[in-house]
Amino acid sequence: MNGAQLLVSCLEREGVEEVWGYPGGAIMPVYDALLGSGIKHYLTRHEQGAAFAAQGFARSTGRVGVCMATSGPGATNLVTGIADAHLDSIPLVAITGQVPRPLMGTDAFQEVDIFGISLPIVKHSYLVEDVDDIPAIVHEAFELAQQGRPGPVLIDFPKDVSLAKAQARPLAKSVEQSRPSTPEAVSLARARELLREAKQPIVYAGGGVPKAGAVEALRDFVHVTKIPVVHTLQGLGSIPGDHELFLGMLGMHGTKAANRAVQECDLLVAVGVRFDDRATGKLAEFAPNASVIHMDIDPAELSKLREANVALRGDIVNALGALTVPLEIDPWRNCCLEYKRDGVFNYDAPFEVIYAPKLLHDLAQAASEDTYICCDVGQHQMWVAQHYSFSHPSRHLTSGGLGTMGFGLPAAIGVQCAHPDATVINVSGDGSIMMNIQELATIRRYNLPVKVLLFDNSALGMVRQWQELFFHNRESEVDLSDNPDFRTVAEAFGIPARHVSRADETEEAIHMLCHEPGPLFIHAHIDRRANVWPLVPPNANNGQMMHEPAPAQAK
Amino acid sequence: MSSEFDVELSPVPGALQRLLGVVRRRGFTILSLSAVRDDTGDGYRVAITVSGARRALTLRNHLANLVDVRSVNLLSCTQASCA
Ligand SMILES: Cc1ncc(C[n+]2csc(CCOP(=O)(O)OP(=O)(O)O)c2C)c(N)n1
Ligand SMILES: [Mg+2]
């Protein structure tokens, strides 16, 4: 057995059934070893697509996603996907071929120091120097990727090591992972005290909740305490979108009710969140009257940006369980519900053109609860967050921390590979789709029934909106009016496509998205001038939201 | 405001770069640094003093999160949050 064969056996031992990648010189021994293995390899058409497909698998299953690429350009093409996994804490193992060790450091053909390049964006990384280290490295890489706060791990694998004869054999996969520790009893007691004293508490819950397997614990906590909840982008769905006490997303494109309640609260129960600037607005003025109970598995997040009055480090499930007691906060809850009623979105489209928020709202009503939505980045992403109601966070895949255009289509591929029978929809924009459009070929090749819903506003809409609002409407390089004919593009890849431009065509489009058995590309033309509202402008606090101008004043 | 750390590192490639990278990225400047392979050859002993406006305790936690860091002690710190 050579090193490459040993690596593949170790992956099998870790339970890996599928990987996404792209071959090349330095990783050829691994591709040779994949032949006849129990692992299915999906060939994407760009390494970035492989990294995001592996992420789609990981985000929708909670298991480690695996991607691979050759040395040099193959490895650098993975970098964006690795960074994205790092910022959103996604368990990923990236395997890169490397030039043979005697050539390393000589500027050899396709040599790049991917170990060095990726240092700031990985949880950990390895350079395999001894063939018999492979079992221990692979085993540790998988443990690290999912243990505690998940993240990406890189394994750089020189070609001579992959061809060397190996004596070692794969290690057994670890049995059940140990649960993280329970927060300290004194801290929990202090947190209970703060809860009892609070008159106006709010739950501010994020991506750490699903990652900790704490969705049910959070739902129980809210059910018993009856504290109103706001979510970050990554937390959406932890409390179902249609739950009475869910006030919406907070932050830059949050709801009026969510931001108002947070600004007025006297206790913030922060669960699996990191006080990201998109959520907090001007940090110094965020929830100015609130004490903070902060629960997180990563001690480095506690008091990183906002001093916690009580820091609960460790298992969120246990922490929530220990704090699940009834509270008397009726007046505050009623006040929040009033804010919620006051701020409901209006879906009455003013024109005959397609109004993306309404289409997404209607899609959420029509789609089954286990439909997966994979977003790209821009206005359409925020419209999904605002107007699509999620039943569970695993159903919403979105690049939050890095905000990577091009994430959605390959992520949808990874989700569909993991859930062949599920409806998987990539909601994209005309800018984003072009970042990884080549992956339509992957959909075709593997006959994946992925759906694309493309909102075409002939613009880099989110940037155009900012130029309109904050740069005196001076448009700079945001015009995409020379877009290709997307329907023809999709059809050239062998994907059936439809074009819709009128509001009365959306019902049928939604029906097709939910029920077509095969792949489908819906090209929806929308108004270039549509903006995402409401909005917290830069350097403002979340109480200073801008709202959609009344129609008479609108341009 | 300066903070002094004593760090034990695994003797693996990249361990020092990871440590120094975290210090820089998290907004601290190095005032002094010494890294010595310890007597047994089993690791590095790093004495590092940094200055920065951000919380030294948070930097300590970031360093402790590195897989190659075996232990990290904040020996002294002039920030109020360390009191
Ligand atoms: C890879 C990458 N490059 C640039 C950006 C900056 N950016 C954020 S949103 C956006 C516009 C996205 O356009 P589109 O996909 O058409 O979405 P829309 O806002 O029009 O809905 C840009 C350029 C980014 N987030 N990612
Ligand atoms: Mg657009």
Side-chain angles (χ1 to χ4, degrees):
Chain A
M1 187 181 265
N2 68 21
Q5 291 160 339
L6 178 57
L7 176 90
V8 170
S9 321
C10 290
L11 294 177
E12 287 176 324
R13 192 58 73 87
E14 292 299 328
V16 174
E17 289 171 357
E18 49 259 292
V19 302
W20 292 264
Y22 207 100
I27 201 166
M28 283 180 66
V30 176
Y31 273 79
D32 187 69
L34 281 171
L35 292 173
S37 78
I39 297 177
K40 179 162 175 63
H41 177 277
Y42 291 89
L43 178 76
T44 54
R45 295 304 173 93
H46 188 294
E47 290 85 353
Q48 189 181 107
F52 284 138
Q55 273 211 40
F57 173 90
R59 288 180 189 243
S60 65
T61 61
R63 289 160 56 199
V64 179
V66 182
C67 58
M68 50 178 66
T70 193
S71 66
T76 54
N77 274 349
L78 289 180
V79 167
T80 301
I82 297 173
D84 190 281
H86 182 63
L87 280 176
D88 280 349
S89 305
I90 304 303
L92 184 78
V93 168
I95 299 167
T96 48
Q98 182 54 278
V99 301
R101 280 170 309 155
L103 290 180
M104 285 178 71
T106 66
D107 309 315
F109 176 64
Q110 294 194 329
E111 182 191 1
V112 44
D113 176 18
I114 191 64
F115 183 93
I117 286 174
S118 63
L119 278 176
I121 53 166
V122 294
K123 186 167 172 190
H124 195 54
S125 43
Y126 302 88
L127 171 66
V128 187
E129 294 188 278
D130 183 332
V131 66
D132 290 321
D133 288 345
I134 291 171
I137 287 177
V138 172
H139 189 68
E140 199 177 284
F142 273 75
E143 278 202 352
L144 283 174
Q146 41 193 335
Q147 217 175 52
R149 181 177 184 168
V153 178
L154 176 101
I155 302 177
D156 198 25
F157 196 29
K159 191 170 184 181
D160 61 316
V161 182
S162 68
L163 291 171
K165 199 166 160 45
Q167 304 297 327
R169 290 297 172 259
L171 300 175
K173 184 177 163 60
S174 315
V175 270
E176 271 307 285
Q177 297 210 352
S178 56
R179 279 212 72 88
S181 58
T182 302
E184 289 172 16
V186 278
S187 304
L188 285 171
R190 177 79 190 107
R192 266 194 298 271
E193 222 172 284
L194 282 183
L195 270 172
R196 260 196 311 270
E197 288 165 7
K199 296 198 166 48
Q200 308 190 164
I202 285 287
V203 172
Y204 154 40
V209 171
K211 288 190 181 85
V215 169
E216 284 310 317
L218 182 71
R219 289 179 181 183
D220 288 347
F221 176 78
V222 169
H223 181 73
V224 172
T225 62
K226 299 207 160 38
I227 304 178
V229 183
V230 303
H231 275 317
T232 68
L233 184 65
Q234 300 293 356
L236 289 174
S238 298
I239 296 301
D242 58 3
H243 192 286
E244 187 195 13
L245 291 173
F246 176 56
L247 303 181
M249 183 169 76
L250 85 164
M252 182 171 277
H253 288 296
T255 62
K256 200 168 152 184
N259 281 336
R260 191 162 174 195
V262 170
Q263 287 307 96
E264 290 177 11
C265 75
D266 65 358
L267 176 67
L268 206 52
V269 184
V271 193
V273 290
R274 56 188 180 87
F275 292 82
D276 174 71
D277 53 274
R278 284 293 185 272
T280 64
K282 193 174 189 179
L283 186 64
E285 294 167 21
F286 177 63
N289 309 315
S291 303
V292 175
I293 299 173
H294 192 174
M295 310 177 191
D296 205 281
I297 193 159
D298 183 355
E301 287 303 339
L302 302 170
S303 298
K304 180 180 83 175
L305 289 164
R306 168 77 177 249
E307 188 73 32
N309 300 73
V310 180
L312 299 175
R313 173 192 168 179
D315 192 352
I316 291 178
V317 174
N318 284 338
L320 283 169
L323 301 180
T324 300
V325 288
L327 303 174
E328 282 168 26
I329 51 164
D330 287 0
W332 168 241
R333 186 172 47 254
N334 291 335
C335 169
C336 289
L337 294 178
E338 184 59 39
Y339 291 169
K340 185 173 169 176
R341 275 190 294 274
D342 188 35
V344 285
F345 286 111
N346 178 7
Y347 294 106
D348 299 333
F351 309 111
E352 282 176 10
V353 295
I354 293 173
Y355 181 49
K358 176 166 166 56
L359 198 166
L360 290 165
H361 177 75
D362 293 350
L363 176 62
Q365 310 290 312
S368 68
E369 279 201 351
D370 51 7
T371 298
Y372 290 85
I373 302 289
C374 303
C375 288
D376 269 297
V377 172
Q379 291 180 311
H380 60 280
Q381 177 192 31
M382 290 299 109
W383 284 324
V384 168
Q386 294 177 328
H387 305 287
Y388 194 99
S389 171
F390 288 96
S391 61
H392 195 278
S394 62
R395 303 296 187 265
H396 178 219
L397 287 83
T398 195
S399 168
L402 197 63
T404 316
M405 291 169 68
F407 168 88
L409 184 62
I413 289 174
V415 176
Q416 192 79 75
C417 295
H419 310 274
D421 299 325
T423 301
V424 182
I425 305 175
N426 163 220
V427 178
S428 191
D430 48 327
S432 296
I433 194 77
M434 292 290 268
M435 293 251 171
N436 275 315
I437 190 115
Q438 77 287 345
E439 299 311 333
L440 289 177
T442 311
I443 291 176
R444 181 78 204 106
R445 165 179 284 234
Y446 298 102
N447 284 321
L448 299 169
V450 169
K451 312 291 185 288
V452 178
L453 170 57
L454 173 67
F455 285 117
D456 182 354
N457 50 11
S458 301
L460 298 173
M462 185 56 98
V463 182
R464 187 206 56 70
Q465 172 171 350
W466 276 59
Q467 290 176 350
E468 176 192 331
L469 299 177
F470 308 120
F471 289 85
H472 308 289
N473 205 17
R474 283 158 55 84
E475 289 198 2
S476 177
E477 302 297 329
V478 291
D479 183 67
L480 297 183
S481 55
D482 57 353
N483 271 324
D485 175 351
F486 284 109
R487 198 171 92 182
T488 308
V489 170
E491 284 171 351
F493 280 98
I495 312 285
R498 281 286 290 268
H499 171 81
V500 290
S501 56
R502 293 195 325 268
D504 63 6
E505 292 173 306
T506 58
E507 200 179 322
E508 196 195 345
I510 289 172
H511 184 83
M512 292 175 78
L513 286 169
C514 298
H515 299 292
E516 274 303 305
L520 176 69
F521 193 108
I522 299 276
H523 175 234
H525 183 83
I526 60 169
D527 188 342
R528 187 180 193 274
R529 295 162 303 175
N531 283 339
V532 182
W533 300 109
L535 164 83
V536 178
N539 304 317
N541 73 49
N542 282 351
Q544 299 166 321
M545 302 191 83
M546 293 168 66
H547 297 277
E548 180 160 23
Q553 300 157 269
K555 298 182 215 116
Chain B
M1 276 184 287
S2 69
S3 317
E4 189 185 351
F5 294 90
D6 172 51
V7 188
E8 254 186 90
L9 285 180
S10 302
V12 293
L16 270 171
Q17 283 96 317
R18 286 185 214 272
L19 175 93
L20 299 182
V22 167
V23 170
R24 174 182 60 76
R25 283 198 302 285
R26 297 296 177 178
F28 292 83
T29 314
I30 297 173
L31 299 179
S32 77
L33 169 73
S34 93
V36 196
R37 192 89 183 226
D38 64 18
D39 295 343
T40 56
D42 190 33
Y44 288 104
R45 194 86 204 207
V46 181
I48 182 166
T49 307
V50 301
S51 77
R54 300 203 181 148
R55 283 173 91 244
L57 288 168
T58 299
L59 178 61
R60 185 197 62 192
N61 290 336
H62 282 304
L63 292 175
N65 277 348
L66 290 173
V67 175
D68 293 339
V69 168
R70 288 178 179 157
S71 71
V72 48
N73 283 310
L74 181 52
L75 298 179
S76 70
C77 168
T78 57
Q79 296 181 346
S81 58
C82 295

